[in-house]
Amino acid sequence: MNPQTTVFELAGGAPAFHRLAQRFYEGVARDAVLRPMYPADLGESAHLLALFLIQFCGGPATYSQQKGHPRLRMRHLPFSIGQKERDAWVSHMKDALESEIENPQAREFLSQYFERTATFMMNR
Ligand code: HEM
């Protein structure tokens, strides 16, 4: 990999991350475990997830301009996240990655990142 190529670029830039987040939340919308944890309007949640991932992967830092430091674990403390919630989250995200991210390196990088980070988000 060219060291100057970011996962943001490899994955297909901002539109790819917005599609990924949209697709992920379509799964959440149908999930009996996860859906009740989220607000009525999932559009804002999808938008924030896309902005966060764009920033994390080396794209524009719009997320932090709007929300400050991510502090993801702290932001998840109000929600009760155990193994079941973690596995459901990862499963919808893997489906979304399969559908929306074509580049194998970007997909693998993101897949491993989501596995680790979702485990880190568990708080019970
Ligand atoms: C482990 C299972 C997870 C559950 C059950 C979960 C659940 C939630 C819920 C209920 C919200 C609030 C909805 C909202 O603010 O719109 C949220 C927000 C968010 N989650 Fe998760 N989440 C999980 C893992 C993750 C992971 C692994 C990431 C990123 C890699 C992530 C990124 C975000 C972001 C960026 C927000 C918006 C935070 C903000 O700026 O307010 N979540 N999550």
Side-chain angles (χ1 to χ4, degrees), residues 24-25 34 36-39 41-42 44-46 48-53 56 63 67 70 72 75-76 79-82 85-90 93 113-122:
F24 168 74
Y25 275 105
L34 296 179
M37 303 173 77
Y38 287 88
D41 177 9
L42 291 174
E44 179 65 12
S45 309
L48 285 174
L49 178 59
L51 291 186
F52 170 79
L53 293 173
F56 175 76
Y63 176 87
K67 303 274 303 191
L72 268 198
R75 288 190 203 270
H76 286 77
F79 315 112
S80 176
I81 304 179
E85 290 78 11
R86 181 255 178 225
D87 290 348
W89 196 103
V90 169
M93 189 49 94
Y113 167 67
F114 288 132
E115 291 265 4
R116 292 199 295 281
T117 311
T119 301
F120 177 62
M121 235 47 92
M122 288 169 58

Side-chain angles (χ1 to χ4, degrees), residues 9-59:
E9 291 166 287
L10 279 180
F17 287 91
H18 284 285
R19 287 199 307 272
L20 177 70
Q22 285 294 339
R23 178 75 70 152
F24 168 74
Y25 275 105
E26 284 169 25
V28 169
R30 295 189 301 265
D31 189 300
V33 171
L34 296 179
R35 184 65 190 90
M37 303 173 77
Y38 287 88
D41 177 9
L42 291 174
E44 179 65 12
S45 309
H47 185 66
L48 285 174
L49 178 59
L51 291 186
F52 170 79
L53 293 173
I54 286 168
Q55 171 172 319
F56 175 76
C57 291

